[in-house]
Amino acid sequence: MTYSEQHLKETAEIAGRIDPAACERCVAELRAVRDRGGRLFILGVGGSAANASHAVNDFRKIAGIEAYAPTDNVSELTARTNDEGWATVFAEWLRGSRLNGKDAVLVFSVGGGDLRKNISPNLVSALDLARQVGARIVGIVGKDGGHTAKVADACVIVPTVNPGNVTPHSEAFQAVVWHLFVSHPDLKANQTKWESTR
């Protein structure tokens, strides 16, 4: 088997093992945010930050949810990192955005954050703030043992089918799953361009 065949086989297996009920719970949470006039803050680091930026567009344009990603503002992100430290950069950004109980935080992450292992402490502190103010937490992560999976109100876990490919599969399926969300009839508010020209 070539690597391409293996990778695609793993991808198909993951797609078949994603929990549809977890997806439905996430959609319900996101619909509730929109219905109550809350905002959606999408957090991610590395490749997940790029996914967060793309997802902001989709949630705003397709689902009609007011959405933001702190990593889209490089000036503020780097100033806060320089002045206050990386571990609190998202929490302080959310505090400055007046995160409140009408809002939700959506986390894209491979591990979901783990203070004990010093992995993504910025996600952990952001989620702790979200819980303090009563904001809802939704996640798409590759590990069920991280902080996001433990504290989220709804979370999709990307199944591990090959421990050597956890990161690429997790980041790829973030896109698959958030596109499921914004195209879901309970969330989709606006038609996408190519589908409207049939």
Short mmCIF file of all heavy atoms in Angstrom, two decimals, residues 137-174:
data_model
loop_
_atom_site.label_atom_id
_atom_site.label_comp_id
_atom_site.label_asym_id
_atom_site.label_seq_id
_atom_site.Cartn_x
_atom_site.Cartn_y
_atom_site.Cartn_z
N ILE A 137 -19.21 26.30 25.67
CA ILE A 137 -17.96 25.82 25.08
C ILE A 137 -18.27 24.67 24.13
O ILE A 137 -18.95 23.71 24.49
CB ILE A 137 -17.00 25.34 26.18
CG1 ILE A 137 -16.61 26.49 27.11
CG2 ILE A 137 -15.74 24.71 25.55
CD1 ILE A 137 -15.86 26.07 28.36
N VAL A 138 -17.76 24.81 22.91
CA VAL A 138 -17.89 23.79 21.88
C VAL A 138 -16.48 23.47 21.38
O VAL A 138 -15.62 24.35 21.35
CB VAL A 138 -18.78 24.29 20.71
CG1 VAL A 138 -18.89 23.26 19.60
CG2 VAL A 138 -20.17 24.67 21.23
N GLY A 139 -16.23 22.23 21.02
CA GLY A 139 -14.89 21.88 20.56
C GLY A 139 -14.90 20.88 19.41
O GLY A 139 -15.84 20.10 19.26
N ILE A 140 -13.83 20.95 18.63
CA ILE A 140 -13.49 19.91 17.65
C ILE A 140 -12.03 19.59 17.92
O ILE A 140 -11.14 20.41 17.64
CB ILE A 140 -13.68 20.36 16.20
CG1 ILE A 140 -15.10 20.88 15.95
CG2 ILE A 140 -13.36 19.20 15.24
CD1 ILE A 140 -15.28 21.54 14.58
N VAL A 141 -11.78 18.43 18.52
CA VAL A 141 -10.43 18.11 18.97
C VAL A 141 -10.06 16.67 18.61
O VAL A 141 -10.93 15.85 18.31
CB VAL A 141 -10.29 18.31 20.50
CG1 VAL A 141 -10.54 19.77 20.89
CG2 VAL A 141 -11.23 17.40 21.27
N GLY A 142 -8.76 16.39 18.69
CA GLY A 142 -8.27 15.07 18.35
C GLY A 142 -7.99 14.18 19.54
O GLY A 142 -7.55 13.04 19.37
N LYS A 143 -8.22 14.68 20.74
CA LYS A 143 -7.94 13.89 21.95
C LYS A 143 -9.11 14.04 22.91
O LYS A 143 -9.59 15.14 23.16
CB LYS A 143 -6.67 14.40 22.65
CG LYS A 143 -5.40 14.20 21.85
CD LYS A 143 -4.92 12.78 21.95
CE LYS A 143 -3.54 12.62 21.33
NZ LYS A 143 -3.06 11.26 21.41
N ASP A 144 -9.54 12.92 23.49
CA ASP A 144 -10.64 13.00 24.44
C ASP A 144 -10.18 13.26 25.87
O ASP A 144 -10.99 13.46 26.77
CB ASP A 144 -11.50 11.74 24.40
CG ASP A 144 -10.72 10.47 24.73
OD1 ASP A 144 -9.54 10.56 25.12
OD2 ASP A 144 -11.31 9.38 24.60
N GLY A 145 -8.85 13.31 26.09
CA GLY A 145 -8.34 13.52 27.43
C GLY A 145 -7.90 14.93 27.73
O GLY A 145 -7.49 15.23 28.85
N GLY A 146 -7.97 15.83 26.74
CA GLY A 146 -7.55 17.21 26.95
C GLY A 146 -8.61 18.04 27.66
O GLY A 146 -9.74 17.59 27.89
N HIS A 147 -8.23 19.26 28.01
CA HIS A 147 -9.10 20.15 28.78
C HIS A 147 -10.39 20.47 28.03
O HIS A 147 -11.46 20.49 28.64
CB HIS A 147 -8.33 21.43 29.12
CG HIS A 147 -8.98 22.26 30.18
ND1 HIS A 147 -9.14 21.84 31.47
CD2 HIS A 147 -9.53 23.51 30.12
CE1 HIS A 147 -9.74 22.79 32.19
NE2 HIS A 147 -10.00 23.80 31.38
N THR A 148 -10.30 20.69 26.73
CA THR A 148 -11.50 21.04 25.96
C THR A 148 -12.55 19.95 26.07
O THR A 148 -13.71 20.22 26.37
CB THR A 148 -11.15 21.30 24.48
OG1 THR A 148 -10.18 22.36 24.39
CG2 THR A 148 -12.38 21.68 23.68
N ALA A 149 -12.15 18.71 25.81
CA ALA A 149 -13.12 17.60 25.86
C ALA A 149 -13.72 17.45 27.25
O ALA A 149 -14.88 17.06 27.40
CB ALA A 149 -12.45 16.31 25.42
N LYS A 150 -12.94 17.78 28.27
CA LYS A 150 -13.42 17.61 29.65
C LYS A 150 -14.44 18.68 30.05
O LYS A 150 -15.35 18.40 30.84
CB LYS A 150 -12.25 17.65 30.63
CG LYS A 150 -11.34 16.42 30.54
CD LYS A 150 -10.14 16.56 31.46
CE LYS A 150 -9.22 15.36 31.35
NZ LYS A 150 -7.98 15.53 32.13
N VAL A 151 -14.29 19.91 29.54
CA VAL A 151 -15.15 21.00 30.01
C VAL A 151 -16.19 21.46 29.00
O VAL A 151 -17.07 22.25 29.33
CB VAL A 151 -14.31 22.23 30.47
CG1 VAL A 151 -13.32 21.82 31.55
CG2 VAL A 151 -13.60 22.89 29.29
N ALA A 152 -16.12 20.97 27.77
CA ALA A 152 -17.02 21.46 26.72
C ALA A 152 -18.46 21.05 26.99
O ALA A 152 -18.74 19.98 27.53
CB ALA A 152 -16.58 20.93 25.36
N ASP A 153 -19.38 21.91 26.56
CA ASP A 153 -20.80 21.59 26.60
C ASP A 153 -21.16 20.65 25.46
O ASP A 153 -22.12 19.88 25.57
CB ASP A 153 -21.63 22.88 26.52
CG ASP A 153 -21.34 23.78 27.70
OD1 ASP A 153 -21.75 23.42 28.83
OD2 ASP A 153 -20.70 24.84 27.52
N ALA A 154 -20.41 20.71 24.38
CA ALA A 154 -20.57 19.80 23.25
C ALA A 154 -19.23 19.73 22.54
O ALA A 154 -18.57 20.76 22.35
CB ALA A 154 -21.66 20.28 22.29
N CYS A 155 -18.82 18.53 22.14
CA CYS A 155 -17.48 18.38 21.56
C CYS A 155 -17.46 17.19 20.61
O CYS A 155 -17.98 16.12 20.92
CB CYS A 155 -16.46 18.17 22.68
SG CYS A 155 -14.74 18.25 22.13
N VAL A 156 -16.84 17.40 19.45
CA VAL A 156 -16.60 16.33 18.50
C VAL A 156 -15.15 15.88 18.65
O VAL A 156 -14.24 16.71 18.57
CB VAL A 156 -16.86 16.77 17.04
CG1 VAL A 156 -16.45 15.68 16.06
CG2 VAL A 156 -18.33 17.15 16.86
N ILE A 157 -14.96 14.60 18.90
CA ILE A 157 -13.62 14.03 19.00
C ILE A 157 -13.29 13.37 17.67
O ILE A 157 -14.05 12.51 17.19
CB ILE A 157 -13.54 12.97 20.12
CG1 ILE A 157 -14.10 13.50 21.44
CG2 ILE A 157 -12.10 12.46 20.27
CD1 ILE A 157 -13.33 14.64 22.05
N VAL A 158 -12.18 13.77 17.07
CA VAL A 158 -11.72 13.14 15.84
C VAL A 158 -11.03 11.83 16.24
O VAL A 158 -10.01 11.85 16.93
CB VAL A 158 -10.75 14.05 15.06
CG1 VAL A 158 -10.24 13.34 13.80
CG2 VAL A 158 -11.43 15.37 14.70
N PRO A 159 -11.57 10.67 15.84
CA PRO A 159 -11.00 9.40 16.28
C PRO A 159 -9.57 9.21 15.80
O PRO A 159 -9.22 9.62 14.69
CB PRO A 159 -11.91 8.35 15.64
CG PRO A 159 -13.17 9.08 15.28
CD PRO A 159 -12.76 10.49 15.00
N THR A 160 -8.74 8.60 16.63
CA THR A 160 -7.37 8.26 16.24
C THR A 160 -7.38 6.88 15.59
O THR A 160 -7.75 5.90 16.23
CB THR A 160 -6.45 8.26 17.48
OG1 THR A 160 -6.43 9.57 18.05
CG2 THR A 160 -5.03 7.85 17.09
N VAL A 161 -6.98 6.84 14.34
CA VAL A 161 -6.85 5.55 13.66
C VAL A 161 -5.39 5.20 13.40
O VAL A 161 -5.06 4.06 13.12
CB VAL A 161 -7.65 5.50 12.33
CG1 VAL A 161 -9.13 5.74 12.59
CG2 VAL A 161 -7.11 6.50 11.32
N ASN A 162 -4.51 6.21 13.51
CA ASN A 162 -3.08 6.01 13.35
C ASN A 162 -2.38 7.03 14.26
O ASN A 162 -2.40 8.22 13.97
CB ASN A 162 -2.66 6.21 11.90
CG ASN A 162 -1.15 6.11 11.69
OD1 ASN A 162 -0.39 6.02 12.64
ND2 ASN A 162 -0.72 6.15 10.44
N PRO A 163 -1.77 6.59 15.37
CA PRO A 163 -1.13 7.53 16.29
C PRO A 163 -0.06 8.40 15.63
O PRO A 163 0.26 9.47 16.16
CB PRO A 163 -0.52 6.61 17.36
CG PRO A 163 -1.32 5.35 17.29
CD PRO A 163 -1.71 5.19 15.84
N GLY A 164 0.46 7.96 14.51
CA GLY A 164 1.46 8.76 13.81
C GLY A 164 0.87 9.88 12.97
O GLY A 164 1.61 10.71 12.44
N ASN A 165 -0.46 9.92 12.83
CA ASN A 165 -1.12 10.94 12.00
C ASN A 165 -2.19 11.72 12.75
O ASN A 165 -3.11 12.24 12.13
CB ASN A 165 -1.74 10.28 10.76
CG ASN A 165 -0.75 10.05 9.65
OD1 ASN A 165 0.33 10.63 9.64
ND2 ASN A 165 -1.09 9.18 8.71
N VAL A 166 -2.07 11.80 14.05
CA VAL A 166 -3.10 12.48 14.84
C VAL A 166 -3.23 13.94 14.42
O VAL A 166 -4.35 14.44 14.22
CB VAL A 166 -2.80 12.37 16.35
CG1 VAL A 166 -3.75 13.25 17.16
CG2 VAL A 166 -2.90 10.92 16.81
N THR A 167 -2.12 14.66 14.28
CA THR A 167 -2.20 16.09 13.95
C THR A 167 -2.80 16.34 12.57
O THR A 167 -3.75 17.12 12.46
CB THR A 167 -0.82 16.75 14.10
OG1 THR A 167 -0.42 16.66 15.47
CG2 THR A 167 -0.87 18.22 13.69
N PRO A 168 -2.28 15.71 11.50
CA PRO A 168 -2.89 16.02 10.20
C PRO A 168 -4.36 15.64 10.11
O PRO A 168 -5.16 16.38 9.52
CB PRO A 168 -2.03 15.25 9.19
CG PRO A 168 -1.26 14.25 9.97
CD PRO A 168 -1.12 14.82 11.35
N HIS A 169 -4.72 14.52 10.69
CA HIS A 169 -6.13 14.13 10.62
C HIS A 169 -7.00 15.05 11.48
O HIS A 169 -8.10 15.44 11.06
CB HIS A 169 -6.31 12.68 11.07
CG HIS A 169 -5.83 11.67 10.07
ND1 HIS A 169 -6.08 11.77 8.71
CD2 HIS A 169 -5.13 10.52 10.22
CE1 HIS A 169 -5.56 10.73 8.08
NE2 HIS A 169 -4.96 9.96 8.98
N SER A 170 -6.52 15.43 12.66
CA SER A 170 -7.31 16.32 13.53
C SER A 170 -7.55 17.65 12.85
O SER A 170 -8.68 18.17 12.84
CB SER A 170 -6.60 16.54 14.86
OG SER A 170 -6.52 15.34 15.59
N GLU A 171 -6.50 18.23 12.27
CA GLU A 171 -6.65 19.54 11.64
C GLU A 171 -7.50 19.45 10.38
O GLU A 171 -8.29 20.36 10.08
CB GLU A 171 -5.28 20.14 11.37
CG GLU A 171 -4.57 20.52 12.67
CD GLU A 171 -3.19 21.14 12.48
OE1 GLU A 171 -2.67 21.10 11.34
OE2 GLU A 171 -2.65 21.65 13.47
N ALA A 172 -7.36 18.37 9.62
CA ALA A 172 -8.18 18.21 8.42
C ALA A 172 -9.65 18.06 8.79
O ALA A 172 -10.53 18.66 8.15
CB ALA A 172 -7.70 17.00 7.62
N PHE A 173 -9.93 17.29 9.82
CA PHE A 173 -11.32 17.06 10.19
C PHE A 173 -11.95 18.22 10.92
O PHE A 173 -13.19 18.32 10.98
CB PHE A 173 -11.48 15.74 10.95
CG PHE A 173 -11.67 14.58 10.02
CD1 PHE A 173 -10.59 13.89 9.51
CD2 PHE A 173 -12.94 14.23 9.59
CE1 PHE A 173 -10.77 12.86 8.61
CE2 PHE A 173 -13.14 13.20 8.69
CZ PHE A 173 -12.04 12.50 8.20
N GLN A 174 -11.16 19.15 11.45
CA GLN A 174 -11.76 20.39 11.93
C GLN A 174 -12.54 21.04 10.80
O GLN A 174 -13.69 21.47 10.99
CB GLN A 174 -10.68 21.35 12.44
CG GLN A 174 -10.00 20.92 13.72
CD GLN A 174 -8.72 21.70 13.99
OE1 GLN A 174 -8.43 22.69 13.32
NE2 GLN A 174 -7.95 21.25 14.97
#
